[in-house]
Amino acid sequence: MLVLHGAGVSSGICIGTAYMLRRSRPEISEYLLPDHLVDSEIERFSRAIKEVHRQLSLILERIPSNAPKEASSFIDTHILILNDSMISEEPIQLIRNRKCNAEWALHQQGKMLTDMFGKIEDQYIRSKSTDVIQVVDRVIRNLLGQDETDHQSLKKGQIIIANDLTPADTVLLKHKKIRAFVTDLGGPISHTAILARSLQIPAIVAVHNATRFIKKDEDIIIDGKRGVVILSPDKNILTEYRKRNRHITQLKIELDKLQKARSVTKDGKKILLHTNIELPADVKATIKTNAAGIGLYRTEFLFMNRLSAPDEEEQFKNYVKVVKAIPNRPVTIRTLDLGADKQVDGGKHSGDVAINPALGLRALRLCLKSPEIFRPQLRAILRASAFGKVRLMLPMLSGVDELLLALEFVEETKAELKIRGIKYDKKLPVGGMIEIPSAAIAADLFTPHLDFMSIGTNDLIQYTLAIDRVDDAVNYLYDPLHPAVLRLIRNVIEAGRVAKIPVAMCGEMAGDLRFSRLLLGLGLTEFSMHPASLLGIKKIVKTSNIASLKRFAKKILAIKDIGELHAAVDSENEKQNRRNTQK
Ligand code: PEP
Ligand code: MG
């Protein structure tokens, strides 16, 4: 029995077997063939192409009919690339002319193609070189007789062990019904970790040696809360964890009873509890938890795992699906936040990479520079607004000028729709995410132009503390209770109060029970989180008294020592939890 430690990013316990997801690229060397073997090498190559075609078609058939379209379009793209003569025929010429092995010929051809993609100006098309690499690698693996990489041998309920997972991987794995994952790398607020929480599966990142120590099909236990992976557990440990699992299930059953309960504090303050979603299918969980609405719809996930961007119509249909699924409840559609770790292709091999992508052309900056992406999305959101209570939210505001420019885009789109006689909500609320310190400090400059604000603590913490949210080397500095972060949050809430516009929080901090009382005390009245947290937060809301939490928040803000501050937050939570269980 061996125990590995990492950062538990999604709680829960899972007992199962390990599935090793290997991503390293195959090593290729060139060797020359005698003349008489050239034809059989060409045949070997053609057989590999056919076999990969068969594998991809099989995957396509196995995708459940209710899976979002992007899951199958990802495979469609790979089949298209595979069928292209650049991949299936050009290498044959190379084998013939150079008398080289098939792997080398394909490797060279793949390299030539990705170099070519790298020179294309359009960032989106350029990023497609990843798909070419994936197809090339798949054929090469087949030629080398190595395991395929599309998880066909992944059995239902297995635990994924990987060096790292991209958000795009996680979306695909979602359809494999994985029960937990462990990665060598990653941070607690990476989008992959966020997805794990929204899937409600235990996950541990930054384990460092997971792929080295865990063996294929080995029995393991994942304790997502404690960030512990137990390899080949003995009988006693298994019994203990099964007991804990039953306890967690029992707690969930208790919480489920709060679905219909109102989200109101003991002293009568109504607190809005919203959900964060990534795909239309996630709306089911919003309905199940009886959330007041959707506080963050991360629309960029529709753009992942596919060759071409979804057009206006496809985006519109996705939005309408969500809006109609929860009539009379607000759906906050955030405009695209692509870039940094959310590349359309999952961020791998995409040609030129910014040195600091999180500080680069991301989110609203990318949209303002790419009207061909921004305008169709704005049209789709505005059109969807005719079908329900849509709110539009702009991510990553850093200065008022860019906000004004974005608002101009919105107004122009409205005017265009009006001329074309297309319906939209003329009073569509437009809000902004406050997730860059400049916007949090100067929130009062933004409020005159916004209908609401939402604090994105994931990025706000990343930028305030200068810690890359996906870099496990600096994970230890991640601290939502850092006084600088708390002061910024207080500042935004205060700016909203003065301007009389609602302030929500949709970063991960909003769904963390440890911070709920402090946030209530700071005056936060709208929380948006992954659905799995919602009922736990509601339980805290219902047992809280705002007047006393205000005093608590004031006390916390006055503490200078960080250790003392953490201890004071924990002790208040423990005190309240004890009091509630005694009742
Ligand atoms: C945030 O930054 O807190 C947020 C909610 O947005 P995202 O995690 O998608 O960057
Ligand atoms: Mg953000």
Side-chain angles (χ1 to χ4, degrees):
M1 195 170 86
L2 181 70
V3 179
L4 303 176
H5 295 267
V9 293
S10 181
S11 60
I13 287 168
C14 181
I15 303 170
T17 55
Y19 177 87
M20 309 305 292
L21 188 88
R22 305 227 179 257
R23 300 211 142 268
S24 56
R25 300 199 61 201
E27 297 261 334
I28 315 295
S29 38
E30 179 180 19
Y31 54 88
L32 294 181
L33 303 161
D35 283 351
H36 71 280
L37 289 183
V38 169
D39 281 345
S40 58
E41 190 66 1
I42 291 173
E43 240 174 68
R44 191 167 79 91
F45 173 77
S46 302
R47 265 200 313 274
I49 294 279
K50 266 197 205 134
E51 174 54 20
V52 169
H53 194 281
R54 193 192 64 79
Q55 285 176 5
L56 290 173
S57 309
L58 199 70
I59 296 170
L60 206 56
E61 277 171 29
R62 287 183 183 168
I63 291 177
S65 54
N66 60 352
K69 219 172 134 197
E70 61 268 29
S72 55
S73 57
F74 173 67
I75 305 297
D76 280 335
T77 303
H78 281 203
I79 292 178
L80 274 176
I81 293 173
L82 183 74
N83 287 343
D84 196 295
S85 63
M86 301 280 246
I87 296 287
S88 58
E89 284 165 29
E90 293 287 320
I92 294 179
Q93 296 312 319
L94 272 176
I95 301 173
R96 211 183 291 285
N97 297 340
R98 283 177 71 141
K99 298 191 179 34
C100 64
N101 51 323
E103 294 87 345
W104 183 256
L106 182 57
H107 176 66
Q108 291 304 101
Q109 179 67 6
K111 206 161 154 307
M112 190 277 287
L113 288 173
T114 47
D115 287 349
M116 199 174 83
F117 267 95
K119 290 191 187 110
I120 294 173
E121 261 203 21
D122 183 310
Q123 196 195 11
Y124 189 77
I125 298 180
R126 202 170 62 218
S127 70
K128 289 297 112 198
S129 62
T130 304
D131 291 281
V132 174
I133 291 171
Q134 285 170 346
V135 172
V136 165
D137 282 0
R138 177 185 278 280
V139 180
I140 290 178
R141 272 198 176 78
N142 188 279
L143 284 164
L144 293 172
Q146 292 178 354
D147 267 352
E148 39 71 32
T149 52
D150 264 311
H151 334 310
Q152 285 176 38
S153 56
L154 170 62
K155 294 182 216 91
K156 201 171 160 186
Q158 277 198 300
I159 298 167
I160 299 284
I161 314 296
N163 181 253
D164 201 4
L165 290 173
T166 63
D169 285 331
T170 322
V171 170
L172 279 183
L173 288 170
K174 196 168 177 167
H175 306 295
K176 282 279 181 181
K177 302 233 181 310
I178 57 161
R179 282 170 51 212
F181 70 75
V182 176
T183 59
D184 290 329
L185 307 174
I189 44 169
S190 64
H191 287 93
T192 303
I194 292 172
L195 270 170
R197 289 189 283 270
S198 83
L199 290 175
Q200 304 189 34
I201 55 171
I204 307 177
V205 301
V207 181
H208 297 277
N209 285 314
T211 50
R212 209 173 122 212
F213 289 122
I214 303 175
K215 290 190 264 341
K216 180 171 176 252
D217 291 328
E218 184 168 8
D219 289 328
I220 50 175
I221 296 177
I222 308 297
D223 182 341
K225 190 167 181 194
R226 293 180 178 80
V228 170
V229 189
I230 305 170
L231 283 56
S232 300
D234 61 29
K235 247 181 155 180
N236 290 344
I237 293 283
L238 268 173
T239 313
E240 169 61 24
Y241 269 94
R242 288 200 178 111
K243 202 169 112 198
R244 284 194 202 175
N245 226 355
R246 281 196 295 275
H247 181 64
I248 293 174
T249 313
Q250 194 51 41
L251 287 178
K252 269 199 193 132
I253 294 172
E254 285 301 310
L255 275 182
D256 279 349
K257 292 183 187 152
L258 287 181
Q259 274 165 8
K260 293 263 147 54
R262 291 179 67 223
S263 173
V264 179
T265 62
K266 277 200 315 201
D267 47 349
K269 181 87 190 152
K270 190 169 171 200
I271 305 296
L272 289 173
L273 300 182
H274 290 157
T275 57
N276 294 349
I277 67 164
E278 276 81 37
L279 295 167
D282 301 335
V283 83
K284 270 197 220 128
T286 303
I287 296 170
K288 192 161 175 256
T289 50
N290 195 22
I294 290 168
L296 168 63
Y297 177 2
R298 290 183 166 100
T299 55
E300 55 277 5
F301 280 80
L302 183 64
F303 285 65
M304 292 178 186
N305 296 323
R306 50 193 293 162
L307 185 63
S308 55
D311 62 10
E312 176 187 329
E313 206 50 35
E314 188 181 339
Q315 293 182 64
F316 165 70
K317 282 189 183 138
N318 269 270
Y319 305 154
V320 166
K321 211 189 277 177
V322 174
V323 169
K324 284 189 173 168
I326 51 165
N328 305 319
R329 283 185 262 180
V331 176
T332 313
I333 306 180
R334 177 174 77 180
T335 60
L336 278 177
D337 182 3
L338 282 172
D341 67 328
K342 286 182 290 191
Q343 300 290 335
V344 282
D345 59 354
K348 297 159 291 182
H349 319 293
S350 46
D352 293 344
V353 173
I355 294 172
N356 281 314
L359 303 181
L361 208 53
R362 192 193 142 179
L364 187 60
R365 301 158 180 199
L366 183 73
C367 284
L368 292 176
K369 279 234 169 179
S370 321
E372 74 283 3
I373 298 178
F374 199 29
R375 288 194 197 281
Q377 182 174 40
L378 289 177
R379 280 197 295 271
I381 297 174
L382 275 159
R383 286 171 56 199
S385 72
F387 293 81
K389 279 176 95 171
V390 171
R391 309 200 299 174
L392 184 145
M393 184 156 78
L394 302 163
M396 291 270 297
L397 296 175
S398 65
V400 175
D401 284 352
E402 74 189 338
L403 166 61
L404 295 179
L405 188 56
L407 293 176
E408 253 175 57
F409 270 92
V410 176
E411 288 311 310
E412 282 165 16
T413 313
K414 281 184 184 171
E416 183 194 330
L417 292 184
K418 196 170 168 197
I419 291 169
R420 287 165 55 198
I422 298 173
K423 282 199 185 122
Y424 63 90
D425 176 6
K426 293 194 180 60
K427 292 203 181 114
L428 173 90
V430 179
M433 281 195 68
I434 305 298
E435 48 185 345
I436 296 182
S438 61
I441 293 166
D444 59 311
L445 303 182
F446 291 80
T447 50
H449 313 288
L450 291 171
D451 296 311
F452 64 95
M453 294 189 286
S454 187
I455 308 174
T457 49
N458 308 336
D459 280 310
L460 187 63
I461 295 170
Q462 153 166 268
Y463 296 125
T464 305
L465 305 183
I467 47 164
D468 189 331
R469 58 195 273 191
V470 294
D471 185 350
D472 62 304
V474 287
N475 268 350
Y476 70 100
L477 291 169
Y478 170 76
D479 184 10
L481 291 180
H482 191 294
V485 175
L486 296 183
R487 288 178 198 189
L488 289 177
I489 292 172
R490 179 189 55 182
N491 200 48
V492 180
I493 295 173
E494 180 57 14
R497 193 190 60 77
V498 171
K500 296 193 175 60
I501 65 166
V503 176
M505 179 180 285
C506 60
E508 291 297 289
M509 194 176 174
D512 192 328
L513 306 177
R514 191 171 170 228
F515 309 121
S516 320
R517 294 189 175 95
L518 177 59
L519 293 171
L520 286 168
L522 287 171
L524 192 73
T525 53
E526 280 189 41
F527 294 64
S528 191
M529 68 212 84
H530 46 93
S533 299
L534 195 134
L535 296 176
I537 303 276
K538 197 191 264 186
K539 189 173 171 192
I540 293 186
V541 167
K542 291 185 72 59
T543 50
S544 288
N545 183 301
I546 297 290
S548 91
L549 287 182
K550 274 196 173 146
R551 288 192 294 277
F552 162 62
K554 202 168 163 202
K555 185 180 104 186
I556 292 296
L557 285 172
I559 299 178
K560 295 202 173 71
D561 181 85
I562 267 228
E564 212 181 291
L565 194 154
H566 275 259
V569 169
D570 290 340
S571 127
E572 175 71 16
N573 283 329
E574 277 159 28
K575 192 174 90 191
Q576 297 294 342
N577 290 341
R578 243 191 339 265
R579 191 172 290 169
N580 295 334
T581 43
Q582 274 160 12
K583 274 182 191 163

